[in-house]
Amino acid sequence: MYNQAIQLDNNNPLAYHDKGVLLIIKYKIGLSLHFLKRYQEALDVFDQAIVKDPTNSDAYFYRGNSLCDLNRLEEAIHMFDKTIELDPKCVEAYNQKGEALRFLGRKIESNKVFKQSLSIDPQNKLARDRLNAK
């Protein structure tokens, strides 16, 4: 609907605003479902948000978190990769990817990701702790 309005009058700021509001609402619904531990439902909503705005790095990030909570770690890693592609300074995405790799027993890869995280935020306690763990 909003895309049609934008096509009819691409100078109409209200159409862009309303489309943005709708995407924010979808994203917030997904977050709420995630925090309620309704991970599969959250995935469905994040999928819808991604279809509407494939550049929304937060939707990929929280989709990855929901996948982690469903123990679908390989899929989660791909979501964190997409988050990092869209937002290369998203320390949380590096941390979550590093954690997923660590849980899969891929310590060398995990350490590499945590080092990348530290290069962005040298004060990153999680990354530092994971790298210092034996």
Side-chain angles (χ1 to χ4, degrees):
M1 172 172 69
Y2 296 110
N3 289 337
Q4 290 173 339
I6 290 167
Q7 285 177 347
L8 290 173
D9 180 6
N10 66 359
N11 293 319
N12 183 346
L14 188 57
Y16 287 99
H17 173 266
D18 290 352
K19 180 180 179 183
V21 168
L22 181 64
L23 292 173
I24 290 168
I25 290 169
K26 279 211 180 284
Y27 169 70
K28 290 188 179 214
I29 290 169
L31 277 180
S32 297
L33 289 166
H34 176 84
F35 290 118
L36 290 170
K37 300 183 187 297
R38 293 166 56 181
Y39 305 121
Q40 187 57 55
E41 291 172 84
L43 285 178
D44 295 340
V45 173
F46 289 131
D47 285 342
Q48 293 170 24
I50 289 167
V51 166
K52 296 286 185 193
D53 181 8
T55 65
N56 183 341
S57 63
D58 288 335
Y60 289 99
F61 176 74
Y62 283 104
R63 186 176 195 284
N65 283 337
S66 292
L67 287 164
C68 280
D69 289 321
L70 290 169
N71 203 31
R72 293 165 54 184
L73 300 178
E74 290 292 346
E75 292 174 82
I77 290 167
H78 292 293
M79 290 299 102
F80 298 132
D81 284 338
K82 185 65 177 178
T83 304
I84 291 165
E85 176 187 320
L86 293 169
D87 183 2
K89 295 196 181 291
C90 182
V91 171
E92 294 85 2
Y94 288 95
N95 286 347
Q96 290 298 92
K97 179 180 178 183
E99 288 289 272
L101 289 165
R102 189 172 68 85
F103 285 122
L104 289 171
R106 294 159 55 184
K107 187 174 180 178
I108 293 171
E109 290 174 83
S110 175
N111 286 347
K112 180 180 174 188
V113 172
F114 284 126
K115 286 177 186 174
Q116 290 173 308
S117 182
L118 278 175
S119 74
I120 297 165
D121 177 11
Q123 304 305 313
N124 184 338
K125 182 174 176 7
L126 176 72
R128 188 167 308 288
D129 288 349
R130 293 298 184 255
L131 287 169
N132 289 333
K134 299 291 182 219

